[in-house]
């Protein structure tokens, strides 16, 4: 990793001049600044902004990277993060990645260079090296919802349990042909939900009906809508749908209405990652509810514990797992 000394050497200036140039000091000639900036670009230099912040006083700002805050558990998690951060004297900056690895990388680099004291991220798994580099540079990082790297602290829920108990619940409601509309298997919560569903179906001796949505999602509702049609076309006897999240479930409801299929009379629907919106629908949705606000608050507490630890100490990793709770509503 390039240092300020490397930048100064390439720009043919001393370290103090390079530092003043990067701080836009009027004492540095414009031509010298231009050489320093060019050296920064060539070396891909990232200053240790956390160390600088500690010398100048913390910025008291936390960067948050989530796929979306649109009608999802991430909206409530972000609310929990903001509430707890504000209580502890921190502000938050939120970036929506839409689970696009390129957008995630851009957000990480932008937050890394904007004086964040720490980062909370729901990672896609595609930028693990960059995230580790950021952490090794001295910026605290905690994973939320998705534990993609065992070497970085995390706050997650038991997604396998959600898939297993969700499938068992629908069987208890009389379903025998249960389909799962899930996300990309490259993202751990979706994979673990599938594993739980698969385990339950195998234990009960029932056939799997599984749809995997795209890696990069711009429209969860459409994923749910299209996934339902795929399930119905593949199995006309379908009598139960497990949706990875509420937005998938809402898309499934619309698909059933468009086909004139009554629910829950013919097909029962439930979400495996529910939040408050499920109770506000015209036909309220049964779900495995995630304690999203509590998860957001806990992630902030762990992050600040790491940030407030001695600079020379390596913070111990914390992996916290929350459990889902079943909330029965009208769709089952």
């Amino acid at each position: 990793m390039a240092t300020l000394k490397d930048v100064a050497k390439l720009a043919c200036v001393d370290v103090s001049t390079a530092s003043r140039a990067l701080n836009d000091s009027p004492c540095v000639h414009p031509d010298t600044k231009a050489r320093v900036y060019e050296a920064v670009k060539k070396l891909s230099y990232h200053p240790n902004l956390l160390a600088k912040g500690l010398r100048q006083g913390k910025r008291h700002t936390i960067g948050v990277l989530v796929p979306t805050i649109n009608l999802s558990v991430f909206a409530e998690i972000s609310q929990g993060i903001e509430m707890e951060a504000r209580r502890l004297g921190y502000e938050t900056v939120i970036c929506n990645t839409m689970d696009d690895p390129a957008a995630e990388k851009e957000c990480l680099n932008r937050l890394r260079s904007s004086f964040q004291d720490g980062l909370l991220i729901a990672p896609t798994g595609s930028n693990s090296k960059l995230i580790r580099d950021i952490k090794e540079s001295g910026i605290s990082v905690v994973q939320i919802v998705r534990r993609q790297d065992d070497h970085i602290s995390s706050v997650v829920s038991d997604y396998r349990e959600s898939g297993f108990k969700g499938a068992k619940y629908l069987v208890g409601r009389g379903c025998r042909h249960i389909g799962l509309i899930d996300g990309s298997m490259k993202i751990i919560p979706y994979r673990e939900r599938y594993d739980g569903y698969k385990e339950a179906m195998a234990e009960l001796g029932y056939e799997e009906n599984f749809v995997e949505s795209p890696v990069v999602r711009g429209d969860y509702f459409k994923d749910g809508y299209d996934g339902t049609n795929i399930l119905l076309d593949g199995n006309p006897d379908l009598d139960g749908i497990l949706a990875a999240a509420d937005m998938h479930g809402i898309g499934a409801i619309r698909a059933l209405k468009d086909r004139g299929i009554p629910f829950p009379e013919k097909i029962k629907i439930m979400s495996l990652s529910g939040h408050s919106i499920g109770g506000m629908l015209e036909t309220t949705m049964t779900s495995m509810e995630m304690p999203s606000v509590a998860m957001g608050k806990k992630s902030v507490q762990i992050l600040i514990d790491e940030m407030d630890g001695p600079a020379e100490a390596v913070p111990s990793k914390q992996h916290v797992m929350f459990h889902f709770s079943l909330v029965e509503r009208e769709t089952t």
Side-chain angles (χ1 to χ4, degrees), residues 35 84 173 180 198 212 217 251:
R35 293 205 313 274
E84 188 67 3
R173 300 293 293 163
L180 170 64
K198 179 180 179 180
E212 179 181 0
R217 4 186 126 260

CSV table of all heavy atoms in Angstrom, one decimal, residues 35 84 173 180 198 212 217 251:
chain,number,residue,atom,x,y,z
A,35,ARG,N,1.9,18.1,-9.4
A,35,ARG,CA,2.7,17.0,-9.4
A,35,ARG,C,2.3,16.0,-8.3
A,35,ARG,O,2.4,14.8,-8.5
A,35,ARG,CB,4.2,17.4,-9.2
A,35,ARG,CG,4.8,18.1,-10.4
A,35,ARG,CD,6.3,18.0,-10.4
A,35,ARG,NE,7.0,18.2,-9.2
A,35,ARG,CZ,7.3,19.4,-8.7
A,35,ARG,NH1,7.0,20.5,-9.4
A,35,ARG,NH2,7.9,19.6,-7.5
A,84,GLU,N,-29.4,4.7,17.3
A,84,GLU,CA,-28.3,4.4,18.2
A,84,GLU,C,-27.1,5.3,18.0
A,84,GLU,O,-26.5,5.8,19.0
A,84,GLU,CB,-27.9,2.9,18.1
A,84,GLU,CG,-27.0,2.5,19.2
A,84,GLU,CD,-27.6,2.5,20.6
A,84,GLU,OE1,-28.8,2.8,20.7
A,84,GLU,OE2,-26.9,2.1,21.6
A,173,ARG,N,-49.8,-26.0,7.8
A,173,ARG,CA,-51.1,-25.3,7.3
A,173,ARG,C,-51.7,-26.1,6.1
A,173,ARG,O,-52.6,-25.6,5.4
A,173,ARG,CB,-50.8,-23.9,6.8
A,173,ARG,CG,-50.2,-23.0,8.0
A,173,ARG,CD,-51.3,-22.8,9.1
A,173,ARG,NE,-52.4,-22.0,8.5
A,173,ARG,CZ,-53.6,-21.9,9.1
A,173,ARG,NH1,-53.8,-22.6,10.2
A,173,ARG,NH2,-54.5,-21.1,8.6
A,180,LEU,N,-40.1,-21.8,-3.3
A,180,LEU,CA,-39.3,-20.8,-2.7
A,180,LEU,C,-38.8,-19.8,-3.7
A,180,LEU,O,-38.1,-20.2,-4.7
A,180,LEU,CB,-38.0,-21.4,-1.9
A,180,LEU,CG,-37.0,-20.4,-1.5
A,180,LEU,CD1,-37.5,-19.5,-0.4
A,180,LEU,CD2,-35.7,-21.2,-0.9
A,198,LYS,N,-34.5,-26.4,2.0
A,198,LYS,CA,-34.1,-27.7,1.4
A,198,LYS,C,-34.1,-28.8,2.5
A,198,LYS,O,-34.6,-30.0,2.3
A,198,LYS,CB,-32.7,-27.6,0.8
A,198,LYS,CG,-32.2,-28.9,0.2
A,198,LYS,CD,-30.8,-28.7,-0.4
A,198,LYS,CE,-30.2,-29.9,-1.0
A,198,LYS,NZ,-28.9,-29.7,-1.6
A,212,GLU,N,-34.2,-18.9,-8.2
A,212,GLU,CA,-33.2,-18.0,-7.8
A,212,GLU,C,-33.2,-16.7,-8.6
A,212,GLU,O,-33.2,-16.7,-9.8
A,212,GLU,CB,-31.8,-18.6,-8.0
A,212,GLU,CG,-30.6,-17.7,-7.6
A,212,GLU,CD,-29.3,-18.4,-7.9
A,212,GLU,OE1,-29.3,-19.5,-8.3
A,212,GLU,OE2,-28.2,-17.8,-7.6
A,217,ARG,N,-30.0,-6.7,-8.3
A,217,ARG,CA,-31.5,-6.5,-8.3
A,217,ARG,C,-31.8,-5.1,-8.3
A,217,ARG,O,-31.4,-4.3,-7.5
A,217,ARG,CB,-32.2,-7.1,-7.0
A,217,ARG,CG,-31.3,-7.7,-6.1
A,217,ARG,CD,-32.0,-8.4,-5.0
A,217,ARG,NE,-31.4,-9.7,-5.0
A,217,ARG,CZ,-32.0,-10.7,-5.5
A,217,ARG,NH1,-33.2,-10.6,-6.0
A,217,ARG,NH2,-31.4,-11.9,-5.5
A,251,GLY,N,-44.8,-9.0,-4.7
A,251,GLY,CA,-44.8,-9.4,-6.1
A,251,GLY,C,-45.6,-10.7,-6.4
A,251,GLY,O,-46.3,-10.8,-7.4
